[in-house]
Amino acid sequence: MKYILFICAGLLLIALVELPYGYYTFLRLAVTIGAVLVIYIEYSKSLNFWIIIFGIIAVLFNPIFPIYLRDRGLWAVIDVLCAIIFVSKGLKTKN
């Protein structure tokens, strides 16, 4: 699971560069899967902070009902913050 979290963080940081639209669709899918995986694993333990944070990330990045924020600068800030969250969770995860 740790590798998935770091891969999601890396994908979010790569998104800071100007890329084709297809990458951002892939990014939405990958980040949503990573966030839902964290939610699933954390929910088996108990309701906690990580479930809420990754729930927000899953809703924000979901590919089915995408949220469009027209400002690229705002998405850059969101991408960096989410990458930091994925890395911090990855560092706290044992496996």
Side-chain angles (χ1 to χ4, degrees):
M1 163 132 153
K2 188 178 266 198
Y3 296 114
I4 293 172
L5 295 171
F6 290 134
I7 288 170
C8 287
L11 292 173
L12 285 162
L13 294 177
I14 291 171
L16 297 175
V17 211
E18 186 76 27
L19 295 168
Y21 185 75
Y23 178 79
Y24 298 106
T25 303
F26 168 72
L27 177 71
R28 286 181 176 276
L29 183 63
V31 170
T32 302
I33 289 171
V36 169
L37 182 63
V38 170
I39 293 168
Y40 176 76
I41 291 172
E42 288 295 319
Y43 189 73
S44 66
K45 298 174 187 173
S46 68
L47 184 63
N48 60 33
F49 170 77
W50 292 112
I51 293 173
I52 296 167
I53 294 299
F54 281 97
I56 293 169
I57 291 172
V59 168
L60 186 61
F61 281 90
N62 84 81
I64 298 170
F65 300 108
I67 296 175
Y68 295 106
L69 304 175
R70 301 290 178 205
D71 186 15
R72 184 160 166 76
L74 181 58
W75 269 115
V77 171
I78 291 170
D79 289 342
V80 170
L81 288 175
C82 290
I84 291 169
I85 292 169
F86 272 99
V87 167
S88 64
K89 178 61 179 163
L91 293 175
K92 293 179 191 270
T93 301
K94 293 179 182 157
N95 55 6

Coordinates of all heavy atoms in Angstrom, one line a residue:
M1 N 0.8 -1.2 0.0 CA 0.0 0.0 0.0 C 0.9 1.3 0.0 O 0.5 2.3 -0.6 CB -0.9 0.0 1.2 CG -1.5 1.3 1.5 SD -3.2 1.3 1.8 CE -3.3 2.7 2.8
K2 N 2.0 1.2 0.7 CA 2.9 2.3 0.7 C 3.3 2.8 -0.7 O 3.3 4.0 -0.9 CB 4.1 1.9 1.6 CG 5.0 3.1 1.9 CD 6.2 2.6 2.7 CE 5.8 2.8 4.2 NZ 6.9 2.8 5.1
Y3 N 3.6 1.8 -1.5 CA 4.0 2.2 -2.9 C 2.9 2.9 -3.7 O 3.1 3.8 -4.4 CB 4.5 0.9 -3.6 CG 5.7 0.3 -3.0 CD1 5.6 -0.9 -2.4 CD2 6.9 1.0 -3.0 CE1 6.7 -1.5 -1.9 CE2 8.0 0.4 -2.4 CZ 7.9 -0.8 -1.9 OH 9.1 -1.4 -1.3
I4 N 1.7 2.4 -3.5 CA 0.5 3.1 -4.1 C 0.4 4.5 -3.7 O 0.1 5.4 -4.5 CB -0.8 2.3 -3.9 CG1 -0.7 0.9 -4.5 CG2 -2.0 3.1 -4.4 CD1 -1.8 0.0 -4.2
L5 N 0.6 4.8 -2.4 CA 0.5 6.2 -1.9 C 1.6 7.0 -2.5 O 1.3 8.2 -2.9 CB 0.6 6.2 -0.4 CG -0.6 5.5 0.3 CD1 -0.3 5.3 1.8 CD2 -1.9 6.2 0.1
F6 N 2.8 6.5 -2.6 CA 3.9 7.3 -3.2 C 3.7 7.5 -4.7 O 4.1 8.5 -5.2 CB 5.2 6.6 -2.9 CG 5.6 6.8 -1.4 CD1 6.1 5.7 -0.7 CD2 5.5 7.9 -0.7 CE1 6.5 5.7 0.6 CE2 5.8 8.0 0.6 CZ 6.3 6.9 1.3
I7 N 3.2 6.5 -5.4 CA 2.9 6.6 -6.8 C 1.9 7.7 -7.0 O 2.0 8.5 -7.9 CB 2.5 5.3 -7.4 CG1 3.7 4.3 -7.5 CG2 1.9 5.4 -8.8 CD1 3.3 2.9 -7.8
C8 N 0.8 7.7 -6.2 CA -0.2 8.7 -6.4 C 0.4 10.1 -6.1 O 0.1 11.1 -6.9 CB -1.4 8.5 -5.4 SG -2.4 7.1 -5.9
A9 N 1.2 10.2 -5.1 CA 1.9 11.5 -4.9 C 2.7 12.0 -6.1 O 2.7 13.1 -6.5 CB 2.7 11.4 -3.6
G10 N 3.5 11.0 -6.6 CA 4.3 11.3 -7.8 C 3.5 11.8 -9.0 O 3.8 12.7 -9.7
L11 N 2.3 11.1 -9.2 CA 1.5 11.4 -10.3 C 0.9 12.8 -10.1 O 0.7 13.6 -11.1 CB 0.3 10.4 -10.5 CG 0.7 9.0 -10.9 CD1 -0.5 8.1 -10.8 CD2 1.3 9.0 -12.3
L12 N 0.6 13.2 -8.9 CA 0.0 14.5 -8.6 C 1.1 15.6 -8.9 O 0.8 16.7 -9.4 CB -0.4 14.6 -7.2 CG -1.8 13.9 -6.9 CD1 -1.9 13.7 -5.4 CD2 -2.9 14.7 -7.4
L13 N 2.3 15.3 -8.6 CA 3.4 16.3 -8.8 C 3.7 16.4 -10.3 O 4.0 17.5 -10.8 CB 4.6 15.9 -8.0 CG 4.5 16.0 -6.5 CD1 5.7 15.6 -5.8 CD2 4.1 17.4 -6.1
I14 N 3.6 15.3 -11.0 CA 3.8 15.3 -12.5 C 2.8 16.2 -13.1 O 3.0 16.9 -14.1 CB 3.8 13.9 -13.1 CG1 5.1 13.2 -12.6 CG2 3.7 14.0 -14.6 CD1 5.1 11.7 -13.0
A15 N 1.6 16.2 -12.5 CA 0.5 17.0 -13.1 C 0.7 18.5 -13.1 O 0.0 19.3 -13.7 CB -0.8 16.7 -12.4
L16 N 1.8 19.0 -12.4 CA 2.1 20.4 -12.3 C 2.6 20.9 -13.7 O 2.6 22.1 -13.9 CB 3.1 20.7 -11.2 CG 2.6 20.3 -9.8 CD1 3.8 20.5 -8.8 CD2 1.4 21.2 -9.4
V17 N 3.0 20.0 -14.5 CA 3.5 20.4 -15.8 C 2.4 20.4 -16.8 O 1.4 19.7 -16.6 CB 4.6 19.4 -16.3 CG1 5.6 20.1 -17.2 CG2 5.3 18.6 -15.3
E18 N 2.5 21.1 -17.9 CA 1.4 21.1 -18.9 C 1.5 19.8 -19.7 O 2.4 19.5 -20.3 CB 1.7 22.3 -19.9 CG 0.7 22.5 -20.9 CD -0.6 23.2 -20.4 OE1 -0.4 23.9 -19.4 OE2 -1.6 22.9 -20.9
L19 N 0.4 19.0 -19.6 CA 0.3 17.7 -20.2 C -1.0 17.6 -20.9 O -1.9 18.4 -20.7 CB 0.4 16.6 -19.1 CG 1.7 16.5 -18.4 CD1 1.5 15.6 -17.1 CD2 2.8 16.0 -19.3
P20 N -1.1 16.6 -21.8 CA -2.4 16.4 -22.5 C -3.5 16.1 -21.6 O -3.3 15.5 -20.5 CB -2.1 15.2 -23.4 CG -0.7 15.0 -23.5 CD -0.1 15.6 -22.2
Y21 N -4.8 16.3 -22.0 CA -5.9 16.1 -21.2 C -6.1 14.7 -20.7 O -6.6 14.4 -19.6 CB -7.2 16.6 -21.9 CG -8.4 16.5 -21.1 CD1 -8.7 17.5 -20.1 CD2 -9.4 15.5 -21.2 CE1 -9.8 17.4 -19.3 CE2 -10.5 15.4 -20.4 CZ -10.7 16.4 -19.4 OH -11.8 16.3 -18.7
G22 N -5.7 13.7 -21.5 CA -5.8 12.3 -21.1 C -5.0 12.0 -19.9 O -5.5 11.1 -19.1
Y23 N -3.9 12.7 -19.6 CA -3.2 12.4 -18.4 C -4.0 12.8 -17.2 O -4.0 12.1 -16.1 CB -1.8 13.2 -18.4 CG -1.1 13.0 -17.1 CD1 -0.4 11.8 -16.9 CD2 -1.2 13.9 -16.0 CE1 0.3 11.5 -15.7 CE2 -0.5 13.6 -14.8 CZ 0.2 12.5 -14.6 OH 0.8 12.2 -13.5
Y24 N -4.7 13.9 -17.3 CA -5.5 14.4 -16.1 C -6.7 13.5 -15.9 O -7.1 13.3 -14.7 CB -5.9 15.8 -16.3 CG -4.7 16.8 -16.4 CD1 -4.4 17.3 -17.7 CD2 -4.0 17.0 -15.3 CE1 -3.2 18.1 -17.8 CE2 -2.8 17.9 -15.4 CZ -2.5 18.4 -16.7 OH -1.4 19.2 -16.8
T25 N -7.2 12.9 -16.9 CA -8.3 11.9 -16.7 C -7.7 10.6 -16.0 O -8.3 10.1 -15.1 CB -8.9 11.4 -18.1 OG1 -9.3 12.6 -18.7 CG2 -10.0 10.4 -17.9
F26 N -6.5 10.2 -16.4 CA -5.8 9.1 -15.8 C -5.5 9.4 -14.3 O -5.6 8.6 -13.4 CB -4.5 8.7 -16.5 CG -3.6 7.8 -15.8 CD1 -3.9 6.5 -15.6 CD2 -2.4 8.3 -15.2 CE1 -3.1 5.6 -14.9 CE2 -1.6 7.4 -14.5 CZ -1.9 6.1 -14.3
L27 N -5.1 10.7 -14.1 CA -4.7 11.1 -12.8 C -6.0 11.1 -11.8 O -5.9 10.6 -10.7 CB -4.2 12.6 -12.8 CG -3.9 13.2 -11.4 CD1 -2.7 12.6 -10.8 CD2 -3.7 14.7 -11.6
R28 N -7.1 11.5 -12.3 CA -8.3 11.4 -11.5 C -8.6 10.0 -11.1 O -9.0 9.7 -10.0 CB -9.5 12.0 -12.3 CG -9.5 13.5 -12.5 CD -10.8 13.9 -13.3 NE -10.9 15.3 -13.4 CZ -11.4 16.1 -12.4 NH1 -11.9 15.6 -11.4 NH2 -11.5 17.4 -12.6
L29 N -8.5 9.1 -12.1 CA -8.8 7.7 -11.8 C -7.8 7.1 -10.8 O -8.2 6.5 -9.8 CB -8.7 6.9 -13.1 CG -9.1 5.4 -13.0 CD1 -10.5 5.2 -12.5 CD2 -8.9 4.7 -14.3
A30 N -6.5 7.4 -11.0 CA -5.5 6.8 -10.1 C -5.6 7.4 -8.7 O -5.5 6.6 -7.7 CB -4.1 7.1 -10.7
V31 N -5.8 8.7 -8.6 CA -5.9 9.3 -7.2 C -7.2 8.8 -6.5 O -7.1 8.6 -5.3 CB -5.8 10.8 -7.3 CG1 -6.1 11.5 -6.0 CG2 -4.4 11.2 -7.8
T32 N -8.2 8.7 -7.2 CA -9.5 8.2 -6.6 C -9.3 6.8 -6.1 O -9.7 6.5 -5.0 CB -10.7 8.3 -7.6 OG1 -10.8 9.7 -8.0 CG2 -11.9 7.9 -7.0
I33 N -8.7 6.0 -6.9 CA -8.5 4.6 -6.5 C -7.6 4.5 -5.3 O -7.8 3.8 -4.3 CB -7.9 3.7 -7.6 CG1 -9.0 3.5 -8.7 CG2 -7.4 2.4 -7.1 CD1 -8.4 2.9 -10.0
G34 N -6.5 5.3 -5.3 CA -5.6 5.4 -4.1 C -6.3 5.9 -2.9 O -6.2 5.3 -1.8
A35 N -7.2 6.9 -3.0 CA -7.9 7.5 -1.8 C -8.9 6.5 -1.3 O -9.1 6.3 -0.1 CB -8.6 8.8 -2.2
V36 N -9.6 5.8 -2.2 CA -10.6 4.8 -1.8 C -9.9 3.6 -1.1 O -10.5 3.1 -0.2 CB -11.5 4.4 -3.0 CG1 -12.4 3.2 -2.7 CG2 -12.4 5.5 -3.5
L37 N -8.8 3.2 -1.6 CA -8.0 2.2 -0.9 C -7.7 2.5 0.5 O -7.8 1.7 1.4 CB -6.8 1.9 -1.7 CG -5.9 0.7 -1.2 CD1 -6.6 -0.6 -1.3 CD2 -4.6 0.6 -2.0
V38 N -7.2 3.8 0.7 CA -6.9 4.2 2.1 C -8.2 4.2 2.9 O -8.2 3.7 4.1 CB -6.3 5.6 2.1 CG1 -6.2 6.2 3.5 CG2 -4.9 5.6 1.4
I39 N -9.3 4.7 2.4 CA -10.5 4.7 3.1 C -11.0 3.3 3.5 O -11.3 3.1 4.7 CB -11.7 5.4 2.3 CG1 -11.3 6.9 2.1 CG2 -13.0 5.2 2.9 CD1 -12.2 7.6 1.1
Y40 N -10.9 2.4 2.6 CA -11.2 1.0 2.9 C -10.4 0.4 4.0 O -10.9 -0.2 4.9 CB -11.1 0.2 1.6 CG -11.4 -1.3 1.8 CD1 -12.7 -1.7 1.9 CD2 -10.4 -2.2 1.8 CE1 -13.0 -3.1 2.1 CE2 -10.6 -3.6 2.0 CZ -12.0 -4.0 2.2 OH -12.2 -5.3 2.4
I41 N -9.1 0.6 3.9 CA -8.2 0.0 4.9 C -8.4 0.7 6.3 O -8.4 0.0 7.3 CB -6.7 0.1 4.5 CG1 -6.6 -0.9 3.3 CG2 -5.8 -0.2 5.6 CD1 -5.2 -0.8 2.6
E42 N -8.5 2.0 6.3 CA -8.7 2.7 7.5 C -10.1 2.5 8.2 O -10.2 2.4 9.4 CB -8.5 4.2 7.3 CG -7.1 4.6 7.1 CD -6.2 4.4 8.3 OE1 -6.6 4.6 9.4 OE2 -5.0 3.9 8.0
Y43 N -11.1 2.3 7.4 CA -12.4 2.0 7.9 C -12.5 0.7 8.6 O -13.3 0.6 9.6 CB -13.5 2.1 6.8 CG -14.9 2.1 7.3 CD1 -15.4 3.2 7.9 CD2 -15.7 0.9 7.2 CE1 -16.7 3.2 8.4 CE2 -17.0 0.9 7.7 CZ -17.5 2.0 8.3 OH -18.8 2.0 8.7
S44 N -11.7 -0.3 8.2 CA -11.7 -1.6 8.9 C -11.1 -1.4 10.3 O -11.4 -2.2 11.2 CB -10.9 -2.6 8.1 OG -9.5 -2.2 8.1
K45 N -10.4 -0.4 10.6 CA -9.8 -0.1 11.9 C -10.8 0.7 12.7 O -11.3 0.2 13.8 CB -8.5 0.6 11.8 CG -7.4 -0.1 11.1 CD -6.2 0.7 10.9 CE -5.2 0.0 10.0 NZ -4.1 0.9 9.7
S46 N -11.1 1.9 12.3 CA -12.1 2.7 12.9 C -12.3 4.0 12.1 O -11.4 4.3 11.3 CB -11.7 3.0 14.4 OG -10.6 3.9 14.4
L47 N -13.3 4.8 12.5 CA -13.5 6.1 11.8 C -12.4 7.0 12.3 O -12.3 7.2 13.5 CB -14.9 6.6 12.1 CG -15.2 7.9 11.4 CD1 -15.2 7.7 9.9 CD2 -16.6 8.3 11.8
N48 N -11.7 7.6 11.4 CA -10.6 8.5 11.9 C -10.4 9.7 10.9 O -11.1 9.8 9.9 CB -9.3 7.8 12.2 CG -8.8 7.0 11.0 OD1 -9.0 7.5 9.8 ND2 -8.2 5.9 11.2
F49 N -9.4 10.5 11.2 CA -9.0 11.7 10.4 C -8.7 11.3 8.9 O -9.1 12.0 8.0 CB -7.8 12.3 11.1 CG -7.2 13.4 10.3 CD1 -7.8 14.7 10.2 CD2 -6.0 13.2 9.6 CE1 -7.2 15.7 9.4 CE2 -5.4 14.2 8.9 CZ -6.0 15.4 8.8
W50 N -8.0 10.2 8.7 CA -7.6 9.8 7.4 C -8.8 9.5 6.5 O -8.8 9.8 5.3 CB -6.6 8.7 7.4 CG -5.3 9.0 8.0 CD1 -4.9 8.5 9.2 CD2 -4.3 9.9 7.5 NE1 -3.6 9.0 9.4 CE2 -3.3 9.9 8.4 CE3 -4.2 10.6 6.4 CZ2 -2.1 10.6 8.2 CZ3 -3.1 11.4 6.2 CH2 -2.0 11.4 7.1
I51 N -9.8 9.0 7.0 CA -11.0 8.6 6.2 C -11.7 9.9 5.7 O -12.1 10.0 4.5 CB -12.0 7.8 7.1 CG1 -11.4 6.4 7.3 CG2 -13.3 7.7 6.3 CD1 -12.2 5.6 8.3
I52 N -11.7 10.9 6.5 CA -12.3 12.2 6.1 C -11.5 12.9 5.1 O -12.0 13.3 4.0 CB -12.5 13.1 7.4 CG1 -13.5 12.4 8.3 CG2 -13.0 14.5 7.0 CD1 -13.6 13.1 9.7
I53 N -10.2 13.0 5.3 CA -9.3 13.6 4.3 C -9.3 12.9 3.0 O -9.5 13.6 1.9 CB -7.9 13.7 4.9 CG1 -7.8 14.6 6.1 CG2 -6.9 14.2 3.9 CD1 -8.2 16.0 5.9
F54 N -9.1 11.6 3.0 CA -9.1 10.9 1.7 C -10.5 10.8 1.1 O -10.6 10.6 -0.1 CB -8.5 9.5 1.9 CG -7.0 9.6 2.0 CD1 -6.3 9.6 3.2 CD2 -6.2 9.7 0.8 CE1 -4.9 9.7 3.2 CE2 -4.9 9.8 0.8 CZ -4.2 9.8 2.0
G55 N -11.6 10.9 1.9 CA -12.9 11.0 1.3 C -13.1 12.3 0.5 O -13.6 12.3 -0.6
I56 N -12.6 13.4 1.0 CA -12.6 14.7 0.3 C -11.8 14.6 -1.0 O -12.2 15.0 -2.0 CB -12.1 15.8 1.2 CG1 -13.1 16.0 2.4 CG2 -11.9 17.1 0.4 CD1 -12.6 16.9 3.5
I57 N -10.6 14.0 -0.9 CA -9.7 13.8 -2.1 C -10.5 12.9 -3.1 O -10.5 13.2 -4.3 CB -8.4 13.2 -1.7 CG1 -7.6 14.2 -0.9 CG2 -7.6 12.8 -2.9 CD1 -6.3 13.7 -0.3
A58 N -11.1 11.9 -2.7 CA -11.8 11.0 -3.6 C -12.9 11.7 -4.3 O -13.2 11.5 -5.5 CB -12.3 9.7 -2.9
V59 N -13.7 12.5 -3.6 CA -14.8 13.3 -4.2 C -14.2 14.3 -5.2 O -14.7 14.5 -6.3 CB -15.6 14.0 -3.1 CG1 -16.6 15.0 -3.7 CG2 -16.4 12.9 -2.3
L60 N -13.1 15.0 -4.8 CA -12.5 16.1 -5.6 C -12.0 15.5 -6.9 O -12.1 16.1 -8.0 CB -11.5 16.8 -4.8 CG -10.8 18.0 -5.5 CD1 -11.9 19.1 -5.7 CD2 -9.7 18.5 -4.6
F61 N -11.4 14.3 -6.9 CA -10.7 13.8 -8.0 C -11.5 12.7 -8.8 O -11.0 12.1 -9.7 CB -9.4 13.2 -7.6 CG -8.3 14.2 -7.5 CD1 -8.1 14.8 -6.2 CD2 -7.5 14.6 -8.5 CE1 -7.1 15.8 -6.1 CE2 -6.5 15.6 -8.4 CZ -6.3 16.1 -7.1
N62 N -12.8 12.4 -8.3 CA -13.5 11.4 -8.9 C -13.7 11.6 -10.4 O -14.0 12.7 -10.9 CB -14.9 11.2 -8.2 CG -15.9 12.1 -8.7 OD1 -16.5 11.8 -9.7 ND2 -16.1 13.2 -8.0
P63 N -13.5 10.5 -11.2 CA -13.7 10.7 -12.7 C -15.1 10.6 -13.2 O -15.4 11.0 -14.3 CB -12.8 9.5 -13.2 CG -12.9 8.5 -12.2 CD -13.0 9.2 -10.9
I64 N -16.0 10.1 -12.4 CA -17.4 9.9 -12.8 C -18.2 11.3 -12.9 O -18.8 11.6 -13.8 CB -18.1 8.9 -12.0 CG1 -17.4 7.6 -12.1 CG2 -19.6 8.8 -12.3 CD1 -17.8 6.5 -11.1
F65 N -18.1 12.0 -11.8 CA -18.7 13.4 -11.7 C -17.6 14.4 -11.4 O -17.4 14.8 -10.3 CB -19.7 13.4 -10.6 CG -20.8 12.4 -10.8 CD1 -21.0 11.3 -10.0 CD2 -21.8 12.6 -11.8 CE1 -22.0 10.4 -10.2 CE2 -22.8 11.7 -12.0 CZ -22.9 10.6 -11.2
P66 N -16.8 14.7 -12.5 CA -15.6 15.5 -12.2 C -16.0 17.0 -11.8 O -17.0 17.5 -12.2 CB -14.9 15.6 -13.6 CG -15.9 15.1 -14.6 CD -16.9 14.3 -13.9
I67 N -15.1 17.5 -10.9 CA -15.3 18.9 -10.5 C -14.3 19.7 -11.3 O -13.1 19.4 -11.3 CB -14.9 19.0 -9.0 CG1 -16.0 18.2 -8.2 CG2 -14.9 20.4 -8.5 CD1 -15.7 18.1 -6.7
Y68 N -14.8 20.7 -12.0 CA -14.0 21.5 -12.9 C -13.7 22.8 -12.2 O -14.6 23.6 -11.9 CB -14.7 21.7 -14.2 CG -14.8 20.5 -15.1 CD1 -16.1 19.9 -15.2 CD2 -13.7 19.9 -15.7 CE1 -16.2 18.7 -15.9 CE2 -13.9 18.7 -16.4 CZ -15.1 18.2 -16.5 OH -15.3 17.0 -17.3
L69 N -12.4 23.0 -11.9 CA -12.0 24.3 -11.4 C -11.2 24.9 -12.6 O -10.1 24.4 -12.9 CB -11.1 24.2 -10.2 CG -11.8 23.4 -9.0 CD1 -10.8 23.2 -7.9 CD2 -13.0 24.2 -8.5
R70 N -11.7 25.9 -13.2 CA -11.1 26.5 -14.4 C -9.7 27.1 -14.2 O -8.9 27.2 -15.1 CB -12.0 27.6 -15.0 CG -13.4 27.0 -15.3 CD -13.3 26.1 -16.5 NE -14.6 25.6 -16.8 CZ -14.9 24.5 -17.4 NH1 -13.9 23.7 -17.8 NH2 -16.1 24.1 -17.6
D71 N -9.4 27.4 -12.9 CA -8.1 28.1 -12.6 C -7.0 27.0 -12.5 O -7.0 26.2 -11.5 CB -8.2 28.9 -11.3 CG -7.0 29.7 -11.0 OD1 -6.1 29.8 -11.9 OD2 -6.9 30.2 -9.9
R72 N -6.1 27.0 -13.4 CA -5.0 26.0 -13.3 C -4.1 26.2 -12.1 O -3.6 25.2 -11.5 CB -4.1 26.1 -14.6 CG -3.1 25.1 -14.7 CD -2.6 24.9 -16.1 NE -1.4 24.2 -16.2 CZ -1.3 22.9 -16.1 NH1 -2.3 22.2 -15.8 NH2 -0.1 22.3 -16.2
G73 N -3.9 27.4 -11.7 CA -3.1 27.7 -10.5 C -3.8 27.1 -9.2 O -3.0 26.6 -8.3
L74 N -5.1 27.1 -9.1 CA -5.8 26.5 -8.0 C -5.6 25.0 -8.0 O -5.3 24.4 -7.0 CB -7.2 26.9 -8.0 CG -8.1 26.3 -6.9 CD1 -7.6 26.8 -5.5 CD2 -9.5 26.7 -7.1
W75 N -5.7 24.4 -9.2 CA -5.4 22.9 -9.3 C -4.0 22.6 -8.9 O -3.7 21.5 -8.3 CB -5.7 22.4 -10.7 CG -7.1 22.0 -10.8 CD1 -8.1 22.5 -11.6 CD2 -7.8 20.9 -10.1 NE1 -9.3 21.8 -11.5 CE2 -9.1 20.8 -10.6 CE3 -7.4 20.0 -9.2 CZ2 -10.0 19.9 -10.1 CZ3 -8.3 19.0 -8.7 CH2 -9.6 19.0 -9.2
A76 N -3.0 23.5 -9.2 CA -1.6 23.2 -8.8 C -1.5 23.2 -7.3 O -0.8 22.3 -6.8 CB -0.7 24.3 -9.5
V77 N -2.1 24.1 -6.6 CA -2.1 24.1 -5.2 C -2.7 22.8 -4.6 O -2.2 22.2 -3.7 CB -2.8 25.4 -4.6 CG1 -2.9 25.3 -3.1 CG2 -2.0 26.6 -5.0
I78 N -3.9 22.5 -5.2 CA -4.6 21.3 -4.7 C -3.7 20.0 -4.9 O -3.6 19.1 -4.1 CB -6.0 21.1 -5.4 CG1 -6.9 22.2 -4.9 CG2 -6.6 19.8 -5.1 CD1 -8.2 22.4 -5.7
D79 N -3.1 19.9 -6.1 CA -2.2 18.8 -6.4 C -1.1 18.7 -5.4 O -0.8 17.6 -4.9 CB -1.7 18.9 -7.8 CG -2.7 18.7 -8.9 OD1 -3.8 18.1 -8.6 OD2 -2.5 19.1 -10.1
V80 N -0.4 19.8 -5.1 CA 0.7 19.8 -4.2 C 0.2 19.4 -2.8 O 0.8 18.5 -2.1 CB 1.4 21.1 -4.1 CG1 2.4 21.2 -3.0 CG2 2.1 21.4 -5.5
L81 N -0.9 19.9 -2.3 CA -1.4 19.6 -1.0 C -1.8 18.1 -0.9 O -1.5 17.4 0.1 CB -2.6 20.5 -0.7 CG -2.3 21.9 -0.3 CD1 -3.7 22.7 -0.2 CD2 -1.5 22.0 0.9
C82 N -2.4 17.6 -2.0 CA -2.8 16.2 -2.0 C -1.6 15.3 -2.0 O -1.6 14.2 -1.4 CB -3.8 15.9 -3.1 SG -5.4 16.6 -2.9
A83 N -0.6 15.7 -2.8 CA 0.7 14.9 -2.8 C 1.3 14.9 -1.4 O 1.8 13.8 -1.0 CB 1.7 15.5 -3.8
I84 N 1.3 16.0 -0.7 CA 1.8 16.0 0.7 C 1.0 15.1 1.6 O 1.6 14.3 2.4 CB 1.8 17.4 1.2 CG1 2.9 18.3 0.5 CG2 2.1 17.5 2.7 CD1 2.8 19.8 0.7
I85 N -0.3 15.1 1.4 CA -1.1 14.2 2.2 C -0.8 12.7 1.9 O -0.7 11.9 2.8 CB -2.6 14.5 2.0 CG1 -2.9 15.9 2.6 CG2 -3.5 13.4 2.6 CD1 -4.3 16.4 2.2
F86 N -0.7 12.4 0.6 CA -0.4 11.0 0.2 C 1.0 10.6 0.8 O 1.2 9.5 1.3 CB -0.4 10.8 -1.3 CG -1.7 10.5 -1.8 CD1 -2.6 11.4 -2.4 CD2 -2.2 9.2 -1.8 CE1 -3.8 11.1 -2.9 CE2 -3.5 8.8 -2.3 CZ -4.3 9.8 -2.9
V87 N 2.0 11.5 0.7 CA 3.3 11.1 1.2 C 3.3 11.0 2.7 O 3.9 10.0 3.3 CB 4.4 12.2 0.8 CG1 5.7 12.1 1.6 CG2 4.6 12.1 -0.7
S88 N 2.6 11.9 3.4 CA 2.6 11.8 4.9 C 1.9 10.5 5.3 O 2.3 9.8 6.3 CB 1.9 13.0 5.5 OG 0.6 13.1 5.1
K89 N 0.8 10.1 4.6 CA 0.1 8.8 4.9 C 1.0 7.6 4.6 O 1.1 6.7 5.3 CB -1.2 8.7 4.2 CG -1.9 7.4 4.4 CD -2.3 7.2 5.9 CE -3.0 5.9 6.1 NZ -3.1 5.5 7.5
G90 N 1.8 7.8 3.5 CA 2.7 6.7 3.1 C 3.8 6.5 4.1 O 4.2 5.4 4.4
L91 N 4.3 7.6 4.7 CA 5.3 7.5 5.7 C 4.8 6.9 7.0 O 5.6 6.3 7.8 CB 5.9 8.9 6.0 CG 6.7 9.5 4.8 CD1 7.2 10.9 5.1 CD2 7.9 8.6 4.5
K92 N 3.5 7.1 7.3 CA 2.9 6.6 8.6 C 2.5 5.1 8.4 O 2.2 4.5 9.4 CB 1.8 7.5 9.0 CG 2.2 8.8 9.4 CD 1.0 9.7 9.8 CE 1.4 11.1 10.0 NZ 1.8 11.5 11.3
T93 N 2.4 4.7 7.2 CA 1.9 3.3 6.9 C 3.1 2.3 7.1 O 4.2 2.6 6.6 CB 1.4 3.2 5.5 OG1 0.3 4.2 5.3 CG2 0.8 1.8 5.2
K94 N 2.8 1.2 7.7 CA 3.8 0.2 8.0 C 4.1 -0.7 6.8 O 5.2 -1.2 6.6 CB 3.4 -0.6 9.2 CG 3.4 0.2 10.4 CD 3.0 -0.7 11.6 CE 3.0 0.3 12.8 NZ 2.1 -0.2 13.9
N95 N 3.1 -1.0 6.0 CA 3.3 -2.0 4.9 C 3.3 -1.3 3.6 O 2.6 -0.5 3.1 CB 2.3 -3.1 4.9 CG 0.9 -2.6 4.9 OD1 0.6 -1.4 4.8 ND2 0.0 -3.5 5.1

